[in-house]
């Protein structure tokens, strides 16, 4: 008996006269080796060995499938966690209808639950001014099977309010059918701030020097409803 054989002592003790083994292969990896022993001397059976080799191959495929299913399950769970915890709204739509949303999308679109959104036409939430363009973008994603870059647009919530947003979209598969996953970032507050800055610039653009700051303070006080406001002089400022 080969001294490298790990069960040499056990084989000697039970009086093994015949044995054979075959590997369980998962692609190029040996996942296991099955060994069989007999106390009676038996001539090699070519047909039996071929059958066992086939069993080894089929068993390897079963193991590979089980592993793949386990990895897929872990991947799906990880994706779901990212989907739900995303600070941006995520909407998945298929054949023009919403099929999945995350909690941020529910909040953004002023819904009480995902069920209020799922099943509705995705274009129902596009602003009338943007609807035709949004439809073209959706068709482009599906037909070209390529993501489209981030761009500003306007959408409408269930309460009728207009939401300024940045949207990007990518093609995905939903239950074997082509679908689109849209990621939506609410930039309404940013747009309001930009508009306020523009208004301020226009309102005080004619002023210079100290009068600029006085005009700026008056303008801001008026717009925020402050009764009194002052512009403090910076320490160390040189006199003109």
């Amino acid at each position: 008996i080969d001294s490298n054989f790990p069960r040499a002592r056990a084989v000697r003790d039970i009086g093994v006269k015949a044995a054979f083994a075959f590997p369980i292969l998962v692609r190029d990896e040996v996942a296991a080796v099955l060994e069989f022993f007999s106390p009676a001397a038996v001539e090699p059976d070519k047909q039996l060995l071929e059958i066992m080799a086939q069993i080894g191959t089929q068993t390897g495929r079963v193991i590979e499938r089980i592993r793949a299913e386990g990895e897929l399950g872990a991947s799906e769970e990880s994706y779901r966690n990212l989907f739900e915890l995303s600070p941006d709204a995520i909407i998945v739509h298929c054949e023009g209808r919403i099929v999945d949303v995350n909690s941020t999308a529910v909040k953004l679109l002023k819904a009480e639950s995902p069920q209020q959104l799922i099943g509705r036409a995705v274009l129902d939430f596009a602003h009338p001014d943007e609807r035709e363009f949004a439809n073209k973008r959706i068709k482009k994603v599906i037909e070209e099977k390529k993501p489209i870059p981030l761009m500003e647009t306007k959408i409408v919530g269930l309460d009728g309010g207009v939401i300024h947003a940045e949207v990007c979209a990518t093609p995905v598969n939903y239950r074997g059918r082509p679908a689109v996953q849209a990621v939506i970032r609410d930039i309404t507050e940013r747009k309001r701030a930009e508009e306020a800055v523009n208004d301020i610039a226009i309102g005080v653009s004619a002023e210079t020097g100290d009068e600029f700051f006085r005009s700026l303070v008056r303008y801001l006080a008026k717009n925020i409803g402050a009764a009194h406001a002052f512009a403090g002089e910076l320490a160390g400022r040189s006199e003109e």
Side-chain angles (χ1 to χ4, degrees):
I1 299 174
D2 190 335
S3 59
N4 291 323
F5 182 40
R7 278 163 292 287
R9 183 174 178 179
V11 166
R12 191 182 304 110
D13 291 344
I14 62 176
V16 169
K17 302 297 184 184
F20 74 92
F22 63 90
I24 303 297
L25 294 173
V26 179
R27 297 187 180 179
D28 297 328
E29 172 195 352
V30 178
V33 176
L34 303 188
E35 301 171 322
F36 299 87
F37 304 95
S38 173
V42 180
E43 290 295 323
D45 186 329
K46 184 177 179 181
Q47 184 176 7
L48 175 62
L49 292 175
E50 289 177 353
I51 291 172
M52 288 305 199
Q54 288 298 318
I55 291 174
T57 300
Q58 294 302 322
T59 304
R61 289 173 181 169
V62 171
I63 293 172
E64 184 177 1
R65 186 171 67 248
I66 291 172
R67 287 181 179 177
E69 289 173 353
E71 291 171 358
L72 178 61
S75 176
E76 288 178 348
E77 182 179 359
S78 177
Y79 165 77
R80 197 69 206 178
N81 288 336
L82 291 172
F83 183 86
E84 286 298 336
L85 296 174
S86 171
D88 294 324
I90 303 177
I91 295 175
V92 179
H93 52 93
C94 180
E95 298 173 356
R97 298 279 170 181
I98 296 174
V99 293
D100 201 2
V101 294
N102 69 351
S103 56
T104 308
V106 173
K107 183 179 179 180
L108 178 67
L109 296 175
K110 303 299 187 288
E112 295 181 1
S113 68
Q115 286 68 35
Q116 280 191 291
L117 303 175
I118 292 174
R120 295 192 59 152
V122 69
L123 289 177
D124 285 352
F125 298 94
H127 190 278
D129 296 344
E130 307 278 354
R131 196 161 291 161
E132 183 178 353
F133 184 60
N135 191 37
K136 289 179 180 179
R137 278 168 58 91
I138 291 170
K139 288 182 178 179
K140 184 176 181 179
V141 173
I142 293 175
E143 291 172 0
E144 297 184 5
K145 298 180 180 178
K146 293 180 181 179
I148 51 177
L150 194 71
M151 71 171 298
E152 289 189 14
T153 188
K154 290 183 290 185
I155 58 179
V156 181
L158 289 178
D159 63 348
V162 177
I163 302 159
H164 293 271
E166 288 179 335
V167 182
C168 63
T170 187
V172 295
N173 185 285
Y174 180 78
R175 297 181 180 177
R177 294 176 293 167
V180 177
Q181 177 174 281
V183 179
I184 306 166
R185 177 166 297 173
D186 185 359
I187 60 168
T188 303
E189 292 303 319
R190 190 181 84 191
K191 295 296 289 186
R192 286 175 181 167
E194 289 174 355
E195 290 170 1
V197 169
N198 289 335
D199 289 345
I200 291 170
I202 293 170
V204 301
S205 61
E207 310 296 344
T208 59
D210 289 342
E211 188 58 35
F212 169 82
F213 293 102
R214 283 192 285 270
S215 296
L216 177 61
V217 169
R218 286 195 296 269
Y219 184 88
L220 291 174
K222 178 181 177 182
N223 280 276
I224 65 175
H228 304 283
F230 302 91
E233 185 177 5
L234 292 175
R237 184 180 171 195
S238 61
E239 295 291 335
E240 294 182 1

